[in-house]
Amino acid sequence: MSRITTIEQYHEQYKKSVDHPEAFWAEIADEFTWKKKWDKVLDWNFSAPEVSWFINGKFNITENCLDRHLEKDGDKLAYTWEANDPKEPNIQYTYKELHAEVCRFANVLKKHGAVKADRICIYMPMIPQAVIAMLACARIGAVHSVVFAGFSAASLAGRIQDSDCKLVITSDGAYRGVKDIPIKEVVDEALETCASVTKVIVYQRTGTVVKMNAGRDYAWDEEMKNASSVCPAEEMDSEDLLFILYTSGSTGKPKGVVHTCGGYMVFTKYSFENVFQYNPGELFWCTADVGWVTGHSYIVYGPLLAGASSLLFEGIPTWPDPGRFWAMVDKHQVNILYTAPTAIRALQASGLEYVTPYKLNSLRVLGSVGEPINEEAWAWYDTHIGKARCPIVDTWWQTETGGILISPLAAITKTKPGFATLPLPGIQPLLVDEKGTEILGNGVEGNLCIRFPWPSIIRTTYGDHERCRQAYFATYKNLYFTGDGCRRDADGYYRITGRVDDVINVSGHRIGTAEVENAINMHADVVESAVVGYPHDIKGQGIYAYVICTNSEKNPDSLRKEIIAEVMKLIGPIAKPDKIQVVTGLPKTRSGKIMRRILRKVAEGDLSNMGDISTLLDPAVVEEIKKGKI
Ligand code: 7RM
């Protein structure tokens, strides 16, 4: 059994995973259903990079998520779905029912010409059909590319074009709190520039009027009416693509992170079971959106592979009121709650009057993901939600890692506020200095790298392997570089301190500063801009933009409004700058590089010590920037 139950077992498994990684992972992989076992466990080199796990293994991940459970646990609950509106009835799916829906929708996809290796874009709200669509793609061997439904038409189009998607699956609209967002319109606008898409399948969720393009657009319900619930699973190779998920990096264009079938399957189940210590019969609730990797790994694949029961939620934490999460925990008797620091802080700020009416006594484990959790938020979560009896698992990982790499194992690893604690078995982290020299010992800080592959490591960035090498494997020779800074304390516990690259983490969402700058620069009056993150009480980081404007006569308030509109149009609401300061110059070195350190200091309100500014082309701009701070 791969389930760890004591800290001694953790240390034993950890040691085995380092001493004999192949034997270690082969034993875990053996617990899955394979049509043909692998010939070799692992091939790798980080310089190409080239990583293959469970080589020549044949199987289908949906048979492991669904079919495998049918005989014994077919009537077990896979999902309870709760709508945005608490008055709308819940919908439940047993494993048998989910299997049937997935097979039916897989047949719909086939009918519309989808075949193995085709890319299919999913742009949907948090409804069961989003999960069904993902699994249906996997069933037929198509590669899903889920795009968070908050992204703009331009962002959606860019992602569809980058991977040449053939089909788009969407809904008429999306409910989010009081909002009723017409998302099919966004798809229509995006598709004006996406020649690769020949079919669109539209689930009717809100009933908003949509334009159905004859010969291209089809209604989900109509298509499902006559679809058979028998659909043999496509045989996939371990290294066939499972999905693409776009994520922001230090350049202006998001990267299509590629995950493959075998390693991802093995690692998501293993990490799910061990980190959360899920017990049969429990209800797990991950509050993420399926548009992010957390939704992929811990709403869809990990829990289903483990045969778990999950809660799926369409809405937002603060509507109809900030007690929504806690009302749902009591109503559904949630045992494990996995959410983000930004949500915790927002609910903390709303006041205890929204918490105290609820019992919360079903909770056994609490989880956190997406950004560093500050000690205040940790303590509040622990005291008021966990009632000091639920272990908190602060799970560090990335889109690129596919699953949780550094985290306590619930009720096994002793926790410490703000610390992701220890690596999971199979994960070999190290800290390096700027030159790439390993920093040994404890009580040290550096850049977080991983020296050995784990099964769900990123395989490539879609369509551009060199970019994958550059971004993750070129900074330090023979190491995977995470982009995060990290401290290892006296006990050898890891504490992630945040990004060390030009990525900002706003409410747990990764946003590249270059992406926001590109959008701002599209405004006709903007000459140049520089974007940095700054500490934000609720969002973790806020977005601070410095802009140089051609038209000095322009009213700064209308300029700000127009810039925000530009960012909304090109990226989406999540990338909206919180503060925009108009400047006449940026602090540049003689080589033309913007000294972001200065911009960050001003943005965070530290105007005291600017450090060495003697290498600046025009040191005087610093004073002006300080004076104009917002
Ligand atoms: C799962 C996810 C990844 C980035 C990562 C970190 C930050 C995530 C934690 C965290 C501190 C955590 N994928 N991050 N989890 N920082 N503690 N527990 O978030 O690709 O969207 O973001 O998020 O900077 O590099 S992601």
Side-chain angles (χ1 to χ4, degrees):
M1 254 300 276
S2 60
R3 170 74 173 265
I4 299 165
T5 56
T6 64
I7 195 72
E8 291 74 27
Q9 276 176 11
Y10 161 75
H11 289 296
E12 259 166 53
Q13 277 209 26
Y14 190 81
K15 186 172 182 328
K16 181 174 175 194
S17 78
V18 173
D19 295 344
H20 307 286
E22 298 194 24
F24 175 80
W25 287 113
E27 209 174 287
I28 292 163
D30 250 329
E31 294 170 12
F32 293 80
T33 304
W34 299 82
K35 287 204 172 92
K36 177 188 164 294
K37 282 266 163 81
W38 54 92
D39 299 330
K40 190 171 178 228
V41 178
L42 170 68
D43 248 339
W44 72 287
N45 80 75
F46 275 176
S47 52
E50 197 281 316
V51 180
S52 308
W53 280 93
F54 312 113
I55 296 154
N56 292 328
K58 308 285 178 200
F59 69 106
N60 184 291
I61 195 168
T62 70
E63 288 192 317
N64 284 273
C65 287
L66 302 168
D67 306 59
R68 200 166 106 95
H69 307 307
L70 294 188
E71 203 180 310
K72 264 178 54 202
D73 292 320
D75 294 323
K76 201 173 157 182
L77 181 76
Y79 293 107
T80 292
W81 175 72
E82 175 148 326
N84 179 60
D85 183 345
K87 291 197 279 294
E88 203 178 314
N90 296 124
I91 297 177
Q92 299 197 314
Y93 289 82
T94 62
Y95 272 86
K96 209 187 279 165
E97 288 162 346
L98 184 64
H99 175 266
E101 289 296 281
V102 168
C103 288
R104 288 168 69 206
F105 195 64
N107 282 324
V108 171
L109 293 176
K110 278 194 195 167
K111 179 187 137 197
H112 285 285
V115 295
K116 181 172 173 176
D118 278 347
R119 275 79 57 214
I120 296 182
C121 176
I122 299 173
Y123 187 77
M124 289 183 114
M126 282 293 290
I127 52 178
Q129 288 70 25
V131 177
I132 292 165
M134 290 166 75
L135 294 167
C137 289
R139 187 85 178 170
I140 65 169
V143 179
H144 56 72
S145 166
V146 183
V147 177
F148 173 61
F151 279 115
S152 68
S155 287
L156 174 62
R159 286 157 170 79
I160 292 173
Q161 290 159 1
D162 185 76
S163 48
D164 277 320
C165 293
K166 185 163 166 183
L167 240 128
V168 176
I169 306 164
T170 189
S171 66
D172 53 353
Y175 293 126
R176 271 181 71 79
V178 290
K179 294 194 205 128
D180 175 350
I181 308 154
I183 70 166
K184 168 68 163 53
E185 275 178 20
V186 182
V187 172
D188 288 338
E189 190 187 333
L191 294 190
E192 285 170 20
T193 58
C194 299
S196 60
V197 175
T198 55
K199 298 282 175 77
V200 179
I201 299 173
V202 187
Y203 181 76
Q204 191 186 76
R205 169 66 188 121
T206 63
T208 185
V209 181
V210 294
K211 199 173 129 260
M212 294 295 273
N213 200 320
R216 188 195 75 179
D217 301 352
Y218 296 83
W220 174 296
D221 284 337
E222 280 303 308
E223 297 304 300
M224 286 288 262
K225 264 184 197 151
N226 303 312
S228 155
S229 59
V230 179
C231 179
E234 186 75 26
E235 184 173 298
M236 303 295 281
D237 184 89
S238 294
E239 288 301 332
D240 280 337
L241 271 59
L242 175 62
F243 67 84
I244 303 168
L245 185 58
Y246 287 85
T247 194
S248 295
S250 12
T251 62
K253 200 175 157 234
K255 300 183 277 267
V257 172
V258 169
H259 284 289
T260 57
C261 296
Y264 181 83
M265 169 173 83
V266 170
F267 195 77
T268 50
K269 173 174 182 273
Y270 178 79
S271 55
F272 172 76
E273 289 181 336
N274 282 295
V275 169
F276 300 105
Q277 293 287 306
Y278 180 85
N279 296 312
E282 288 189 323
L283 187 66
F284 177 77
W285 182 18
C286 167
T287 69
D289 190 287
V290 289
W292 310 112
V293 75
T294 306
H296 283 60
S297 302
Y298 300 108
I299 291 178
V300 183
Y301 291 106
L304 293 177
L305 288 163
S309 304
S310 290
L311 182 60
L312 192 65
F313 177 42
E314 180 181 36
I316 58 170
T318 48
W319 193 81
D321 67 54
R324 184 70 189 273
F325 270 17
W326 321 128
M328 284 178 65
V329 166
D330 276 7
K331 176 178 181 194
H332 299 282
Q333 293 289 291
V334 172
N335 304 109
I336 308 173
L337 174 69
Y338 189 30
T339 193
T342 188
I344 298 167
R345 288 189 298 261
L347 299 178
Q348 175 181 9
S350 307
L352 278 178
E353 63 269 34
Y354 292 104
V355 183
T356 42
Y358 303 101
K359 287 202 174 73
L360 305 180
N361 58 352
S362 58
L363 288 172
R364 187 179 63 78
V365 173
L366 301 176
S368 172
V369 62
E371 52 174 317
I373 179 164
N374 48 307
E375 291 185 30
E376 297 83 336
W378 199 99
W380 187 85
Y381 200 27
D382 183 39
T383 308
H384 298 291
I385 307 305
K387 316 284 187 197
R389 47 166 198 84
C390 300
I392 297 180
V393 290
D394 176 359
T395 65
W396 174 83
W397 58 297
Q398 310 177 295
T399 306
E400 296 85 345
T401 70
I404 299 165
L405 298 198
I406 305 182
S407 170
L409 309 182
I412 293 174
T413 314
K414 197 172 165 296
T415 60
K416 227 186 249 189
F419 282 79
T421 74
L422 298 172
L424 263 65
I427 310 306
Q428 301 186 35
L430 70 153
L431 304 182
V432 301
D433 65 17
E434 294 299 319
K435 293 193 199 83
T437 309
E438 181 170 3
I439 306 168
L440 296 164
N442 288 338
V444 293
E445 194 165 338
N447 288 346
L448 180 63
C449 294
I450 321 270
R451 72 170 101 241
F452 194 86
W454 60 98
S456 61
I457 188 175
I458 179 176
R459 297 303 196 272
T460 189
T461 46
Y462 193 83
D464 191 349
H465 193 60
E466 173 56 16
R467 204 167 163 207
C468 172
R469 192 187 71 78
Q470 277 290 343
Y472 310 105
F473 300 92
T475 316
Y476 306 113
K477 198 163 184 277
N478 291 323
L479 298 176
Y480 167 81
F481 176 44
T482 64
D484 279 317
C486 181
R487 208 173 99 207
R488 188 169 50 223
D489 78 354
D491 296 331
Y493 270 28
Y494 290 86
R495 177 187 196 129
I496 313 302
T497 51
R499 303 290 304 193
V500 295
D501 53 8
D502 293 326
V503 171
I504 40 190
N505 193 325
V506 182
S507 301
H509 304 319
R510 269 167 71 168
I511 296 165
T513 53
E515 263 176 272
V516 184
E517 288 162 7
N518 288 350
I520 293 175
N521 297 348
M522 293 304 283
H523 188 288
D525 293 337
V526 172
V527 185
E528 197 181 355
S529 64
V531 165
V532 296
Y534 72 97
H536 187 286
D537 284 348
I538 305 288
K539 300 199 254 189
Q541 282 191 296
I543 302 180
Y544 197 116
Y546 297 87
V547 298
I548 304 177
C549 179
T550 40
N551 181 354
S552 57
E553 309 285 276
K554 185 141 183 156
N555 173 332
D557 282 336
S558 39
L559 178 72
R560 280 191 194 105
K561 278 202 193 102
E562 289 165 21
I563 287 178
I564 287 172
E566 199 73 55
V567 174
M568 298 265 273
K569 190 177 103 199
L570 291 170
I571 308 175
I574 60 169
K576 247 180 11 193
D578 297 275
K579 295 183 178 182
I580 300 172
Q581 180 180 346
V582 180
V583 294
T584 61
L586 290 167
K588 288 194 180 174
T589 60
R590 273 174 252 275
S591 59
K593 248 188 112 181
I594 297 172
M595 222 185 247
R596 285 173 187 276
R597 174 174 61 80
I598 290 171
L599 298 178
R600 276 190 218 109
K601 279 205 136 186
V602 173
E604 73 194 38
D606 176 6
L607 305 181
S608 55
N609 178 16
M610 287 295 129
D612 182 11
I613 57 169
S614 62
T615 56
L616 287 182
L617 201 57
D618 176 14
V621 297
V622 177
E623 277 315 305
E624 182 214 309
I625 288 173
K626 278 163 70 173
K627 277 208 198 86
K629 186 201 164 342
I630 295 176

